[in-house]
Amino acid sequence: SDPAELLSEAFPVYDTGRGGRHTYHGPGQRVGYVILDLKKRNADVRGFVHALEAWVIAALAEFGVTARAVGQEAKMGAIGIRIRKWVTMHGFSVNIDPDLSHFGGIIPCGISEYPVTSLAQLGIATDLQAFDEALRKTADSFLKAIDRAQSRSM
């Protein structure tokens, strides 16, 4: 990460080895680590990332939120992965009801053009358990997307 994107030293910074820029994880976020052997599905990094994005977007849609992989209004979450020997590590975070002031110490993902938001800031009263249920409800589409990627490569 670019040290210029760390605007405050209020929180400790950890090097995760996943690449990418600064991000923040704390109370009020759902952080999901997806660990899969892509060789057993399909050795397609781009397909995995797109499927992961689509899964989070589908879960947000369960709350009436229209999201995009690359937004133009505000950041609701982030995706950061690492792949070693075709095994995925890390995953995603979604802002349910975090203290958004905590993002003031960084330029999240190196994107300064758009503010960070949350479901709570959008007026959607929910909790982590309800978002977990939305993830469970939409998980099949994520897994099918990865399986489709595998069947296309055969």
Side-chain angles (χ1 to χ4, degrees), residues 14 29 33 64 102-103 129:
Y14 300 97
Q29 284 185 318
Y33 277 37
H102 292 175
F103 289 94
Q129 292 76 20

Side-chain angles (χ1 to χ4, degrees), residues 89-139:
M89 293 171 257
H90 303 281
F92 64 85
S93 65
V94 178
N95 298 326
I96 308 303
D97 190 12
D99 180 343
L100 294 176
S101 71
H102 292 175
F103 289 94
I106 62 171
I107 297 175
C109 303
I111 302 171
S112 60
E113 299 88 330
Y114 307 113
V116 176
T117 193
S118 66
L119 289 175
Q121 188 175 46
L122 295 177
I124 300 168
T126 192
D127 58 24
L128 295 171
Q129 292 76 20
F131 193 76
D132 290 347
E133 183 55 36
L135 287 169
R136 277 190 287 279
K137 184 176 178 183
T138 56

